[in-house]
Amino acid sequence: MDERVTIPGLLKLKEKGEKIACLTAYDWPTALLLDRAGIDLILVGDSVGNNILGYPSTIPVTMDEMIHHTKAVRRGVKRALLVGDMPFMSYQASAEEAIRNAGRFIKEGGADAVKLEGGEEIAELIHTLVRRGLPVMGHLGLLPQRTAQVGGYKVQGRDEASAKKILHEAKILEEAGVFALVLEMVPWPLAKLISETLQIPTIGIGAGPYCDGQILVITDVLGLSLGVSPKFAKRYLALAEQIEQAAKAYCTDVKSLTFPTVEQHSFAMDEEVLKKLSSDG
Ligand code: KIV
């Protein structure tokens, strides 16, 4: 097996110019398969809310739900760096609460690090977490926990003022101690500039090809997203259609007595035992 991916290892990949492949995972079998396939970083995203748990967004996701999914993913991951996504209101109320919740991801969930959405306003908090031994990945650009404020899932940093703000905040987060930075839905030239400016790796999602790594939501990759997949995602399978077809075929088999068969899917028993049972009964 390849060596475990570490935080210094990610920095080395950036230095070597080797791209970092990241995906989200929410359960044990998927995590095991992604890890086996050589994915460098697995994020237990709060996107579990709208992709797995049936919530309308990431907002309702709780710490307990995140820990439950992180533990499952941990059992499948041997090589990749495992990052837990801090859900809405798990780090906003106070530094003390943020430290406790980040600690739960590492101690209970088995994550190697946590991810927080936000810029300058959480830089001090990130510094506090990192100084206490809780590694943090940053997240700028489109922040799914704040889509109500910006009016939906929209590209961020298109005009000069907002692009300057994102670049400035990227530098501030690096200074605060994040080991990597997710850039979500920002124009590729801005993502390229940030990637060239920072020492730490940038991980893009809808941020073009010049980031140091890429991340996608696994259900978009597998064609298992039941809503609309974002324009920037690439679909490699059509699992939703396949699952529905399989369930329909099963349904038909059961109703037409095609499944199960005595020969293939059932267990026989000794005829003498059966005779005794019949005569006793
Ligand atoms: O929750 C998530 O899946 C994420 C990725 C989009 C980076 O934050």
mmCIF file of all heavy atoms in Angstrom, residues 16-38:
data_model
loop_
_atom_site.group_PDB
_atom_site.id
_atom_site.type_symbol
_atom_site.label_atom_id
_atom_site.label_comp_id
_atom_site.label_asym_id
_atom_site.label_seq_id
_atom_site.Cartn_x
_atom_site.Cartn_y
_atom_site.Cartn_z
ATOM 1 N N LYS A 16 5.926 19.817 -6.037
ATOM 2 C CA LYS A 16 6.318 18.990 -7.200
ATOM 3 C C LYS A 16 5.489 19.299 -8.433
ATOM 4 O O LYS A 16 5.783 18.823 -9.527
ATOM 5 C CB LYS A 16 6.080 17.504 -6.882
ATOM 6 C CG LYS A 16 7.169 16.847 -6.064
ATOM 7 C CD LYS A 16 7.110 15.329 -6.183
ATOM 8 C CE LYS A 16 5.910 14.702 -5.529
ATOM 9 N NZ LYS A 16 5.801 13.280 -5.588
ATOM 10 N N GLY A 17 4.387 20.015 -8.240
ATOM 11 C CA GLY A 17 3.474 20.295 -9.359
ATOM 12 C C GLY A 17 2.553 19.136 -9.662
ATOM 13 O O GLY A 17 1.968 19.077 -10.744
ATOM 14 N N GLU A 18 2.421 18.189 -8.686
ATOM 15 C CA GLU A 18 1.490 17.068 -8.903
ATOM 16 C C GLU A 18 0.120 17.442 -8.336
ATOM 17 O O GLU A 18 0.019 17.873 -7.182
ATOM 18 C CB GLU A 18 2.030 15.805 -8.202
ATOM 19 C CG GLU A 18 1.145 14.607 -8.425
ATOM 20 C CD GLU A 18 1.694 13.329 -7.775
ATOM 21 O OE1 GLU A 18 2.927 13.184 -7.625
ATOM 22 O OE2 GLU A 18 0.856 12.489 -7.389
ATOM 23 N N LYS A 19 -0.911 17.294 -9.158
ATOM 24 C CA LYS A 19 -2.259 17.702 -8.744
ATOM 25 C C LYS A 19 -2.787 16.794 -7.632
ATOM 26 O O LYS A 19 -2.472 15.593 -7.585
ATOM 27 C CB LYS A 19 -3.221 17.671 -9.932
ATOM 28 C CG LYS A 19 -2.844 18.632 -11.038
ATOM 29 C CD LYS A 19 -3.114 20.084 -10.676
ATOM 30 C CE LYS A 19 -2.763 21.010 -11.828
ATOM 31 N NZ LYS A 19 -2.889 22.433 -11.489
ATOM 32 N N ILE A 20 -3.620 17.369 -6.764
ATOM 33 C CA ILE A 20 -4.170 16.656 -5.609
ATOM 34 C C ILE A 20 -5.626 16.280 -5.926
ATOM 35 O O ILE A 20 -6.439 17.153 -6.210
ATOM 36 C CB ILE A 20 -4.099 17.559 -4.352
ATOM 37 C CG1 ILE A 20 -2.634 17.970 -4.091
ATOM 38 C CG2 ILE A 20 -4.701 16.875 -3.142
ATOM 39 C CD1 ILE A 20 -2.471 19.150 -3.141
ATOM 40 N N ALA A 21 -5.916 14.975 -5.889
ATOM 41 C CA ALA A 21 -7.271 14.504 -6.241
ATOM 42 C C ALA A 21 -8.092 14.298 -4.976
ATOM 43 O O ALA A 21 -7.714 13.506 -4.105
ATOM 44 C CB ALA A 21 -7.175 13.195 -7.022
ATOM 45 N N CYS A 22 -9.188 15.017 -4.867
ATOM 46 C CA CYS A 22 -10.025 14.960 -3.657
ATOM 47 C C CYS A 22 -11.486 14.676 -4.035
ATOM 48 O O CYS A 22 -11.933 15.103 -5.097
ATOM 49 C CB CYS A 22 -10.008 16.294 -2.908
ATOM 50 S SG CYS A 22 -8.391 17.082 -2.785
ATOM 51 N N LEU A 23 -12.192 13.985 -3.171
ATOM 52 C CA LEU A 23 -13.631 13.747 -3.362
ATOM 53 C C LEU A 23 -14.305 13.760 -1.999
ATOM 54 O O LEU A 23 -13.642 13.565 -0.968
ATOM 55 C CB LEU A 23 -13.878 12.381 -4.027
ATOM 56 C CG LEU A 23 -13.624 12.276 -5.536
ATOM 57 C CD1 LEU A 23 -13.715 10.822 -5.987
ATOM 58 C CD2 LEU A 23 -14.619 13.131 -6.336
ATOM 59 N N THR A 24 -15.611 13.931 -1.993
ATOM 60 C CA THR A 24 -16.332 13.768 -0.735
ATOM 61 C C THR A 24 -16.745 12.301 -0.610
ATOM 62 O O THR A 24 -16.855 11.590 -1.615
ATOM 63 C CB THR A 24 -17.610 14.640 -0.670
ATOM 64 O OG1 THR A 24 -18.573 14.151 -1.605
ATOM 65 C CG2 THR A 24 -17.309 16.110 -0.943
ATOM 66 N N ALA A 25 -16.968 11.869 0.636
ATOM 67 C CA ALA A 25 -17.551 10.542 0.892
ATOM 68 C C ALA A 25 -18.349 10.654 2.175
ATOM 69 O O ALA A 25 -18.049 11.509 3.033
ATOM 70 C CB ALA A 25 -16.476 9.476 1.030
ATOM 71 N N TYR A 26 -19.368 9.811 2.289
ATOM 72 C CA TYR A 26 -20.244 9.907 3.458
ATOM 73 C C TYR A 26 -20.459 8.547 4.137
ATOM 74 O O TYR A 26 -21.158 8.465 5.138
ATOM 75 C CB TYR A 26 -21.611 10.467 3.031
ATOM 76 C CG TYR A 26 -21.497 11.670 2.116
ATOM 77 C CD1 TYR A 26 -21.799 11.576 0.757
ATOM 78 C CD2 TYR A 26 -21.057 12.891 2.604
ATOM 79 C CE1 TYR A 26 -21.686 12.667 -0.086
ATOM 80 C CE2 TYR A 26 -20.933 13.988 1.768
ATOM 81 C CZ TYR A 26 -21.240 13.866 0.417
ATOM 82 O OH TYR A 26 -21.114 14.952 -0.407
ATOM 83 N N ASP A 27 -19.925 7.470 3.536
ATOM 84 C CA ASP A 27 -20.180 6.133 4.089
ATOM 85 C C ASP A 27 -18.959 5.237 3.896
ATOM 86 O O ASP A 27 -18.058 5.559 3.128
ATOM 87 C CB ASP A 27 -21.418 5.497 3.424
ATOM 88 C CG ASP A 27 -21.230 5.376 1.920
ATOM 89 O OD1 ASP A 27 -20.382 4.576 1.498
ATOM 90 O OD2 ASP A 27 -21.919 6.095 1.169
ATOM 91 N N TRP A 28 -18.995 4.093 4.596
ATOM 92 C CA TRP A 28 -17.846 3.180 4.621
ATOM 93 C C TRP A 28 -17.491 2.579 3.255
ATOM 94 O O TRP A 28 -16.338 2.703 2.825
ATOM 95 C CB TRP A 28 -18.104 2.090 5.683
ATOM 96 C CG TRP A 28 -17.145 0.966 5.629
ATOM 97 C CD1 TRP A 28 -15.833 0.984 6.000
ATOM 98 C CD2 TRP A 28 -17.412 -0.355 5.138
ATOM 99 N NE1 TRP A 28 -15.260 -0.231 5.783
ATOM 100 C CE2 TRP A 28 -16.205 -1.085 5.260
ATOM 101 C CE3 TRP A 28 -18.539 -0.987 4.628
ATOM 102 C CZ2 TRP A 28 -16.115 -2.419 4.873
ATOM 103 C CZ3 TRP A 28 -18.446 -2.322 4.252
ATOM 104 C CH2 TRP A 28 -17.237 -3.010 4.376
ATOM 105 N N PRO A 29 -18.456 1.966 2.520
ATOM 106 C CA PRO A 29 -18.019 1.333 1.261
ATOM 107 C C PRO A 29 -17.474 2.329 0.248
ATOM 108 O O PRO A 29 -16.466 2.064 -0.425
ATOM 109 C CB PRO A 29 -19.278 0.636 0.727
ATOM 110 C CG PRO A 29 -20.418 1.202 1.477
ATOM 111 C CD PRO A 29 -19.899 1.737 2.771
ATOM 112 N N THR A 30 -18.122 3.498 0.138
ATOM 113 C CA THR A 30 -17.634 4.486 -0.835
ATOM 114 C C THR A 30 -16.237 4.947 -0.442
ATOM 115 O O THR A 30 -15.332 5.038 -1.290
ATOM 116 C CB THR A 30 -18.603 5.696 -0.907
ATOM 117 O OG1 THR A 30 -19.923 5.212 -1.072
ATOM 118 C CG2 THR A 30 -18.254 6.635 -2.044
ATOM 119 N N ALA A 31 -16.054 5.228 0.841
ATOM 120 C CA ALA A 31 -14.750 5.708 1.312
ATOM 121 C C ALA A 31 -13.663 4.671 1.015
ATOM 122 O O ALA A 31 -12.567 5.005 0.534
ATOM 123 C CB ALA A 31 -14.813 5.994 2.807
ATOM 124 N N LEU A 32 -13.987 3.401 1.275
ATOM 125 C CA LEU A 32 -13.007 2.331 1.049
ATOM 126 C C LEU A 32 -12.602 2.273 -0.428
ATOM 127 O O LEU A 32 -11.415 2.162 -0.766
ATOM 128 C CB LEU A 32 -13.636 1.016 1.504
ATOM 129 C CG LEU A 32 -12.736 -0.182 1.623
ATOM 130 C CD1 LEU A 32 -13.150 -1.025 2.819
ATOM 131 C CD2 LEU A 32 -12.764 -1.045 0.379
ATOM 132 N N LEU A 33 -13.593 2.406 -1.314
ATOM 133 C CA LEU A 33 -13.311 2.316 -2.754
ATOM 134 C C LEU A 33 -12.526 3.538 -3.243
ATOM 135 O O LEU A 33 -11.603 3.409 -4.051
ATOM 136 C CB LEU A 33 -14.619 2.147 -3.542
ATOM 137 C CG LEU A 33 -15.373 0.840 -3.229
ATOM 138 C CD1 LEU A 33 -16.745 0.848 -3.873
ATOM 139 C CD2 LEU A 33 -14.584 -0.385 -3.675
ATOM 140 N N LEU A 34 -12.871 4.721 -2.742
ATOM 141 C CA LEU A 34 -12.143 5.933 -3.155
ATOM 142 C C LEU A 34 -10.695 5.859 -2.681
ATOM 143 O O LEU A 34 -9.771 6.232 -3.399
ATOM 144 C CB LEU A 34 -12.795 7.202 -2.578
ATOM 145 C CG LEU A 34 -14.253 7.486 -2.932
ATOM 146 C CD1 LEU A 34 -14.665 8.868 -2.437
ATOM 147 C CD2 LEU A 34 -14.512 7.363 -4.413
ATOM 148 N N ASP A 35 -10.528 5.369 -1.459
ATOM 149 C CA ASP A 35 -9.188 5.247 -0.882
ATOM 150 C C ASP A 35 -8.349 4.267 -1.702
ATOM 151 O O ASP A 35 -7.196 4.546 -2.047
ATOM 152 C CB ASP A 35 -9.324 4.763 0.563
ATOM 153 C CG ASP A 35 -8.053 4.950 1.365
ATOM 154 O OD1 ASP A 35 -7.567 6.102 1.427
ATOM 155 O OD2 ASP A 35 -7.545 3.954 1.901
ATOM 156 N N ARG A 36 -8.975 3.141 -2.047
ATOM 157 C CA ARG A 36 -8.306 2.120 -2.868
ATOM 158 C C ARG A 36 -7.915 2.682 -4.231
ATOM 159 O O ARG A 36 -6.909 2.302 -4.822
ATOM 160 C CB ARG A 36 -9.285 0.982 -3.100
ATOM 161 C CG ARG A 36 -8.803 -0.346 -2.610
ATOM 162 C CD ARG A 36 -9.773 -1.372 -3.157
ATOM 163 N NE ARG A 36 -10.276 -2.186 -2.079
ATOM 164 C CZ ARG A 36 -11.235 -3.094 -2.232
ATOM 165 N NH1 ARG A 36 -11.827 -3.273 -3.385
ATOM 166 N NH2 ARG A 36 -11.602 -3.812 -1.225
ATOM 167 N N ALA A 37 -8.766 3.582 -4.754
ATOM 168 C CA ALA A 37 -8.533 4.138 -6.093
ATOM 169 C C ALA A 37 -7.412 5.180 -6.091
ATOM 170 O O ALA A 37 -7.000 5.627 -7.160
ATOM 171 C CB ALA A 37 -9.816 4.764 -6.619
ATOM 172 N N GLY A 38 -6.962 5.584 -4.898
ATOM 173 C CA GLY A 38 -5.826 6.511 -4.844
ATOM 174 C C GLY A 38 -6.196 7.969 -4.636
ATOM 175 O O GLY A 38 -5.353 8.858 -4.865
#
